[in-house]
């Protein structure tokens, strides 16, 4: 039955980046309830923009790369958009991936963490939890939604022993307040029994052209990528707490 579950799939790719360990088969599901000011994939916001695929169809795509991915120490990652908008599909897909012997990762904001069932998380080896901010006011400014569900999901993952990587985007003038960064570091320490590392991601402007193509206004026209010094200063908040950091 699970093989016939369908999802709106924006795209898929084979990448080696910040999507989990090794080379990954990454599926980007369409649809997202967040409107992050720095989002570089606004074309994933609407669920109707994707291609409808079954679990079987997506597994068939993944299997064409399976030998290469395994040799590169990788696995599969489900991303978005926000993948937990289509949690039934994610659950069925990750289960099939585990049956195929693949390492699995879920990239999520945590906003819809309550939709992640126990079986879904049982088949998830790693959660890439995007913590956009530790300050509720800044978080809402950045995303348009509340912070509390993300923290609740992180607490749940830590309690059940699910491995995590925390991902934080450093945007000068928006998320770079030292108190805000320190708060994200404190959350990582709170979940440190399961947090493998913290990935500080550089804000970039690579998606600006997509806004023009979609007729959307880009809301951070003056923001610049962080300097090396700014990244190093942010990283110290985490390393000083004994956390492993990548930038």
């Amino acid at each position: 039955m699970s093989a016939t579950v369908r999802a709106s799939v924006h795209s898929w790719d084979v990448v080696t980046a910040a999507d989990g360990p090794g080379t990954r088969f990454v599926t980007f599901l369409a649809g997202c309830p967040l409107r992050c000011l720095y989002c570089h994939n606004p074309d994933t916001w609407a669920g109707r923009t994707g291609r409808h695929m079954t679990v079987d169809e997506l597994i068939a795509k993944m299997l064409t790369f399976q030998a290469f991915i395994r040799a590169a120490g990788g696995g599969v990652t489900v991303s978005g958009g926000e993948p937990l908008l289509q949690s039934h599909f994610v659950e069925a897909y990750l289960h099939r991936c585990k049956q195929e012997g693949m390492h699995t990762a879920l990239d999520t904001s945590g906003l819809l963490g309550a939709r992640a069932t126990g079986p879904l998380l049982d088949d998830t080896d790693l959660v890439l939890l995007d913590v956009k901010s530790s300050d509720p006011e800044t978080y809402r400014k950045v995303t348009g939604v509340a912070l509390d569900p993300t923290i609740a999901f992180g607490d749940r993952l830590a309690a059940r022993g699910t491995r995590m990587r925390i991902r934080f985007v450093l945007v000068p003038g928006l998320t770079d307040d030292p108190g805000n960064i320190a708060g994200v570091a404190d959350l990582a320490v709170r979940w440190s029994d399961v947090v493998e590392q913290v990935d500080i991601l550089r804000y970039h402007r690579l998606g600006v052209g997509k806004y023009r193509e979609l007729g959307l206004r880009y809301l951070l026209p003056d923001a610049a990528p962080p300097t090396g010094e700014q990244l190093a200063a942010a990283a110290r908040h985490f390393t000083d707490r004994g956390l492993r950091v990548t930038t």
Side-chain angles (χ1 to χ4, degrees):
M1 191 68 179
S2 65
T4 62
V5 176
R6 291 180 175 271
S8 181
V9 177
H10 175 270
S11 57
W12 55 267
D13 201 357
V14 177
V15 299
T16 303
D19 297 294
T23 298
R24 315 291 297 182
F25 180 85
V26 184
T27 302
F28 301 93
L29 299 186
C32 187
L34 284 71
R35 291 296 180 267
C36 297
L37 296 180
Y38 50 73
C39 179
H40 59 278
N41 288 318
D43 47 326
T44 66
W45 290 349
R48 65 180 181 276
T49 60
R51 170 190 171 190
H52 288 279
M53 297 182 69
T54 66
V55 171
D56 275 350
E57 289 172 330
L58 192 56
I59 287 290
K61 293 282 188 186
M62 182 275 290
L63 289 177
T64 62
F65 300 97
Q66 185 182 45
F68 169 68
I69 290 170
R70 279 181 169 169
V76 298
T77 299
V78 184
S79 186
E82 171 48 64
L84 291 178
L85 267 178
Q86 304 184 74
S87 59
H88 294 302
F89 181 88
V90 173
E91 180 175 334
Y93 175 61
L94 292 180
H95 184 66
R96 284 288 305 280
C97 288
K98 291 305 296 178
Q99 289 180 325
E100 296 292 342
M102 302 298 288
H103 179 277
T104 57
L106 172 68
D107 177 11
T108 177
S109 68
L111 176 68
L112 304 178
R115 296 191 182 187
T117 65
L120 186 157
L121 293 176
D122 287 343
D123 286 322
T124 303
D125 294 312
L126 177 67
V127 173
L128 308 174
L129 186 60
D130 299 314
V131 181
K132 323 281 186 177
S133 169
S134 64
D135 173 68
E137 184 177 340
T138 301
Y139 193 94
R140 188 172 289 278
K141 178 181 179 181
V142 170
T143 67
V145 300
L147 169 62
D148 287 348
T150 295
I151 295 178
F153 188 50
D155 286 343
R156 180 182 168 205
L157 295 174
R160 74 189 314 279
T162 301
R163 306 302 295 174
M164 276 194 278
R165 289 187 181 182
I166 304 302
R167 310 211 303 172
F168 169 69
V169 181
L170 184 65
V171 187
L174 183 64
T175 65
D176 62 337
D177 179 81
N180 182 53
I181 301 171
V184 176
D186 288 341
L187 286 172
V189 169
R190 173 168 161 173
W191 305 322
S192 60
D193 285 348
V194 295
V195 171
E196 295 182 351
Q197 66 186 50
V198 177
D199 299 324
I200 301 178
L201 307 179
R202 301 168 182 253
Y203 164 74
H204 61 72
R205 300 176 59 83
L206 299 179
V208 174
K210 292 182 180 180
Y211 286 79
R212 289 194 295 269
E213 293 170 6
L214 295 169
L216 299 172
R217 184 165 66 95
Y218 189 67
L219 298 177
L220 294 176
D222 301 320
T227 65
E229 291 78 10
Q230 288 171 320
L231 283 167
R236 282 194 292 272
H237 286 281
F238 299 93
T239 56
D240 286 351
R241 289 165 170 80
L243 297 162
R244 179 186 175 194
V245 178
T246 68
T247 58

